Amino acid sequence: MGTVDIIPDIHGQIAKLRGALDALGWRRNAAGWIHPDPERTIVFLGDFIDRGPENRAVIHLVRDLFDSGKARAIMGNHELNALHFHTAHPETGQPLRAHSEKNLRQHASFLAEFAVGAGETREALAWMRSLPLFLEAEGFRAVHACWVDPTIDRVRALTDDGVLSEEQLIRAADPADELFHLAEEITKGPEHQLPDGFAFRDKDGTHRDHVRLQWWNAGARTWRDISISVPVPDDLPDAPLPGTLMSQTYPVHERPVFFGHYWLSGDPVLQAPNALCLDYSAGKDGPLVTYELHPGETLLSPDRVWLHAIPY
C-alpha cells in the first residue's frame, strides 16, 4: 500500500475539492490523474452531494479519478438518501424516501442540477449504488459514520463486499427490516435509548430520550462519557454503561479507521489514537480537512491532518 489521501464529505463544493487536490500534489494530464508519488491513491468518505451548488462537477471529478485508477469511495447517508428519494417501491409506486418539504429542501441543490427521471440523473444514481457502505484495506478502514464490528460483519455477510443490491436497497428503506437499521448505523451513526426516566433537550429544544454515541471512544465508562451533542451533560445519568454498549466501541488495538459525517468545528483533533473524523463542515462554511496516511502507520498523527484553505 502506498500513501493514501483520505478525503471526507464534499457536499457539492467543487472549489474546495480542487483546492485540496492541488495542495496535495494531484494533477490531471491527457492520460488522467497523476501524482509525483506514483503509488499514491485517494479514498473518499462519501457525501459528495447536496448542500453545495456544484454536485455535477464533484461527481464528474471523483469519477474521473476513479477512471484513472487513483481513487476509491464509500457511500454516505446523502447518497443513500438520494437513491431512496429517486427509487419507487415496486409494489406501491411511491418513492422510498418521501418527497416531503423537508426532504426536498435537503436535496434541493442536487435537484437543481439533476432532474427527477432524467437520463443523467439515472446514470449518476447507478454510480452511487455501486459504492460500498464501508472499505477495509490493508492497514486501515473507512466508513461514513460508524464502524462497529458486529454491524459491519453482518452487512459483510448479507451483501457483496458491502454493496447493496437493488432488492437490498429497497429493504434498507423499510424501518421494519434489519438492513434499514444496519445502513442507518453505518451511514448516520449509532443511537441508544437512555435509562428509564432520563431525557434531554437538544440544541433545537426537542425532547429526546435517545443519545448519539461516540462509538470510537473505547475509554467511555458512563453515559456522559459516550454521548454526543447533548447541550447539558448533567441531564444524563452519571452511571456506568451497560456492558453490551461498552463492547461496541472501537478497540484501541484495531487498525486506524477514518470517517466523516459529524460536522465538527474548530481545530481538527484525533478522536482516538486509531480513529479520526475529518468532516469539519466543508459542505457549508468550513474547510476541507484531509489525512495523509503513510504505509505501515498504526497510530495516527496530528501532523498528517491537512486543513485546506477555503477558496474565495
Side-chain angles (χ1 to χ4, degrees):
M1 181 189 84
T3 297
V4 182
D5 290 315
I6 314 289
I7 302 181
D9 316 43
I10 301 160
H11 284 299
Q13 300 285 0
I14 189 63
K16 293 181 183 181
L17 176 58
R18 287 172 176 155
L21 290 171
D22 186 68
L24 293 168
W26 289 95
R27 301 290 184 271
R28 197 190 191 293
N29 63 19
W33 285 89
I34 59 171
H35 192 278
D37 173 5
E39 300 300 315
R40 195 169 178 127
T41 58
I42 297 170
V43 166
F44 289 102
L45 300 178
D47 275 11
F48 304 100
I49 63 169
D50 297 333
R51 305 190 194 278
E54 296 185 85
N55 296 258
R56 180 184 288 113
V58 169
I59 291 171
H60 284 181
L61 195 158
V62 170
R63 295 185 70 179
D64 195 25
L65 282 157
F66 266 70
D67 292 342
S68 293
K70 296 298 184 180
R72 292 171 287 175
I74 56 175
M75 183 185 294
N77 62 299
H78 280 259
E79 285 75 50
L80 183 61
N81 286 347
L83 288 164
H84 285 157
F85 186 97
H86 293 271
T87 302
H89 193 283
E91 295 177 4
T92 68
Q94 295 300 307
L96 297 175
R97 181 173 173 82
H99 291 190
S100 64
E101 180 182 350
K102 172 184 166 231
N103 292 342
L104 284 164
R105 183 172 63 252
Q106 289 180 347
H107 200 38
S109 75
F110 183 86
L111 292 172
E113 297 183 86
F114 292 91
V116 174
E120 182 187 27
T121 306
R122 291 195 301 271
E123 205 272 335
L125 293 167
W127 173 73
M128 292 180 201
R129 196 166 70 75
S130 73
L131 300 174
L133 290 169
F134 60 87
L135 172 65
E136 186 160 31
E138 180 187 353
F140 74 98
R141 292 165 167 171
V143 71
H144 184 65
C146 175
W147 189 293
V148 171
D149 279 333
T151 301
I152 297 292
D153 290 344
R154 183 61 178 151
V155 171
R156 201 194 310 271
L158 292 172
T159 65
D160 181 10
D161 290 330
V163 178
L164 297 173
S165 68
E166 183 139 1
E167 180 261 339
Q168 289 171 333
L169 177 71
I170 294 167
R171 289 174 52 197
D174 179 0
D177 195 286
E178 177 189 17
L179 271 169
F180 172 87
H181 300 283
L182 294 170
E184 285 278 301
E185 183 167 290
I186 287 172
T187 64
K188 299 179 184 177
E191 293 191 359
H192 202 283
Q193 185 168 0
L194 289 165
D196 289 346
F198 285 93
F200 69 99
R201 292 196 179 276
D202 66 16
K203 61 183 176 60
D204 298 319
T206 303
H207 183 271
R208 298 191 180 276
D209 60 6
H210 284 67
V211 288
R212 297 176 79 184
L213 304 177
Q214 298 180 47
W215 55 270
W216 55 84
N217 186 356
R221 294 293 178 267
T222 71
W223 289 97
R224 295 179 187 179
D225 293 339
I226 205 167
S227 300
I228 316 170
S229 305
V230 178
V232 183
D234 287 349
D235 289 342
L236 304 183
D238 189 19
L241 294 168
T244 53
L245 199 55
M246 291 175 61
S247 68
Q248 293 180 39
T249 55
Y250 195 72
V252 294
H253 63 269
E254 281 289 2
R255 71 191 76 178
V257 59
F258 298 93
F259 53 102
H261 183 66
Y262 289 97
W263 286 79
L264 303 181
S265 60
D267 294 329
V269 296
L270 302 181
Q271 277 58 54
N274 63 339
L276 177 60
C277 177
L278 288 165
D279 181 5
Y280 281 79
S281 309
K284 294 184 80 173
D285 301 324
L288 193 56
V289 176
T290 66
Y291 190 83
E292 182 181 308
L293 178 67
H294 289 190
E297 192 173 345
T298 57
L299 295 177
L300 303 178
S301 169
D303 295 338
R304 298 201 180 104
V305 178
W306 299 108
L307 190 153
H308 301 281
I310 300 174
Y312 292 100

